[in-house]
Amino acid sequence: MALVHILRVTLVSALLFTSVSGHCTQPKVRKEWRSLSADERASWINAVKCIAKTPHDPNVVATVDPAISLIPPLTPNSSHYDDFVYIHMDLNVLIHNTGFFLPWHRLYVQTFEDRLRSKCGYDGVQPYWDWTKDTSDFYHATIWSDSDYDGLGSWGDPDNDFRISTGGLKDMVVAYPVSHHLRRNYTLYPYFPPGFAFPAGVPYPDPSLMFNTTFTKAVVDATLNSTPGNYVNFQATIENISGPHPGPHLILGGDMGGTCPFGLGPPGCIPGQKWSPNDPMFFLHHTMIDKIWYDWQHKNSSNKDVFAGGTVSWQANSSVSFLQYPTGAPPWLNTSSPIPSDGMWRTTTVGDVMDTVGGRLCYVYA
């Protein structure tokens, strides 16, 4: 099977992070965006803009067959920020609806913070966005600050492909799927492109569902309290098409929603959440997803070290059912499985990121 071969190639990549054993004694504390000072928020925004101007790392390479990844070729004339976007695009079918989903994104966000530090002198900690605070009036939420100094910006201009024009990120240009400015398009009722259909066995969302209802505090609390020790059920609840992971992606639309830039191509552009890291909100969002996993791990002793999942998702194989294999079908993964990287980090296993104060990591959540 082509996907299995690709996975093997990816997992034996020589350009991966070496795992670190032991227990850290002074973990960094990750905080919610709005609990940071204005200077702390500005520092993170400036570091993001810096890495978006840092040249492409030639160690980062595509490893998935383009016939499977369905993405444009890697662009060497791009930034290191674009490298982060590209590996998410390239590895898409390996890291969503498989056992890699939570470990991969945990390591991905940590590596992003590491590069903000090493390449741009960032001295803060990766913040998270608690979107449960915003669900009652998402459009007018305080997270959408127009401040050029410490604001993330607001909604895009519908007359200019929803390009954002306020906040510290307003001039940010990204490379994929084609060079364009950052876009956001409030989409309370997410639509799916004409001709797009979920494979059999994937629960299709109710088109009348308002997506601000999919990531409320009640939803998160129910997720944290459900089926102790059942990792598969926990991940499935988060990653379900109407769950708290896709909700913020789709309601933001634009780049986070994976829409194609209007009138720019590329020819045959296939929408999807592959290039959603184009919007730095991705990293704040996925730090929140990681916090939910962290909170679940600490909610019950039976959750702490549990892990289960396969390597093949319904996105890569139409015979695989999400309902039967929400965390991927066989071949099975375990905590010794290396996390795919496309050359972004050296060898790191699932077990290296199971504990945020041991192995590869050293942080907690406030």
Side-chain angles (χ1 to χ4, degrees):
M1 181 178 180
L3 179 62
V4 174
H5 171 72
I6 292 164
L7 182 62
R8 287 175 181 152
V9 171
T10 304
L11 298 182
V12 298
S13 171
L15 299 167
L16 303 167
F17 247 124
T18 302
S19 63
V20 180
S21 61
H23 188 89
C24 74
T25 57
Q26 295 182 310
K28 300 180 181 69
V29 180
R30 291 183 173 180
K31 300 178 181 179
E32 209 276 335
W33 176 259
R34 284 157 290 199
S35 72
L36 303 180
S37 70
D39 287 347
E40 288 172 327
R41 292 193 295 266
S43 178
W44 187 82
I45 289 172
N46 288 334
V48 170
K49 291 193 290 186
C50 164
I51 205 167
K53 295 180 180 178
T54 302
H56 159 69
D57 180 352
N59 288 323
V60 173
V61 294
T63 57
V64 175
D65 184 343
I68 294 175
S69 65
L70 302 177
I71 59 173
L74 188 145
T75 303
N77 186 24
S78 58
S79 73
H80 194 42
Y81 186 93
D82 295 318
D83 290 338
F84 278 91
V85 177
Y86 198 81
I87 70 169
H88 187 270
M89 295 164 60
D90 185 54
L91 299 173
N92 185 65
V93 297
L94 303 181
I95 60 174
H96 296 98
N97 303 117
T98 72
F100 280 128
F101 175 67
L102 291 170
W104 189 91
H105 285 86
R106 174 172 278 183
L107 180 57
Y108 181 67
V109 170
Q110 180 60 61
T111 304
F112 184 70
E113 177 183 333
D114 293 343
R115 300 301 166 83
L116 293 183
R117 292 173 176 278
S118 64
K119 293 184 176 293
C120 292
Y122 180 59
D123 61 0
V125 181
Q126 173 62 34
Y128 64 93
W129 166 31
D130 184 355
W131 19 252
T132 68
K133 298 177 181 292
D134 304 320
T135 55
S136 62
D137 188 2
F138 195 83
Y139 188 87
H140 297 102
T142 58
I143 195 81
W144 313 121
S145 168
D146 290 338
S147 169
D148 287 344
Y149 179 67
D150 66 331
L152 295 167
S154 188
W155 302 105
D157 179 0
D159 294 324
N160 191 19
D161 195 25
F162 297 97
R163 172 180 169 179
I164 67 168
S165 59
T166 63
L169 302 168
K170 64 183 179 182
D171 296 322
M172 189 168 175
V173 176
V174 289
Y176 300 108
V178 67
S179 180
H180 67 279
H181 284 83
L182 184 61
R183 301 166 301 134
R184 284 190 203 129
N185 175 17
Y186 178 66
T187 311
L188 185 59
Y189 300 91
Y191 65 93
F192 295 95
F196 182 89
F198 285 103
V202 179
Y204 193 90
D206 179 352
S208 68
L209 179 67
M210 294 187 295
F211 261 57
N212 65 326
T213 65
T214 66
F215 51 95
T216 63
K217 186 177 186 302
V219 168
V220 171
D221 288 346
T223 301
L224 293 176
N225 290 311
S226 65
T227 54
N230 189 331
Y231 182 92
V232 172
N233 183 75
F234 172 71
Q235 180 180 318
T237 303
I238 289 177
E239 207 177 1
N240 186 290
I241 191 64
S242 299
H245 166 245
H249 276 284
L250 295 174
I251 201 170
L252 261 68
D255 282 300
M256 270 284 278
T259 62
C260 295
F262 180 74
L264 295 177
C269 177
I270 301 173
Q273 293 177 35
K274 297 177 182 180
W275 51 80
S276 52
N278 276 339
D279 190 338
M281 295 302 300
F282 176 100
F283 294 96
L284 300 175
H285 167 49
H286 269 277
T287 310
M288 177 63 177
I289 294 294
D290 184 65
K291 181 182 184 297
I292 295 172
W293 183 23
Y294 171 95
D295 289 343
W296 185 78
Q297 287 182 303
H298 291 82
K299 183 77 174 178
N300 188 295
S301 60
S302 64
N303 299 341
K304 180 65 175 176
D305 301 313
V306 66
F307 172 77
T311 58
V312 181
S313 80
W314 62 264
Q315 297 183 53
N317 188 328
S318 60
S319 67
V320 172
S321 165
F322 174 83
L323 295 178
Q324 183 180 7
Y325 297 111
T327 61
W332 300 116
L333 298 169
N334 57 51
T335 55
S336 296
S337 300
I339 300 173
S341 75
D342 273 3
M344 183 65 81
W345 52 76
R346 296 182 181 176
T347 302
T348 303
T349 68
V350 170
D352 291 329
V353 300
M354 289 295 292
D355 186 354
T356 68
V357 291
R360 169 75 172 76
L361 308 171
C362 191
Y363 66 85
V364 294
Y365 284 98

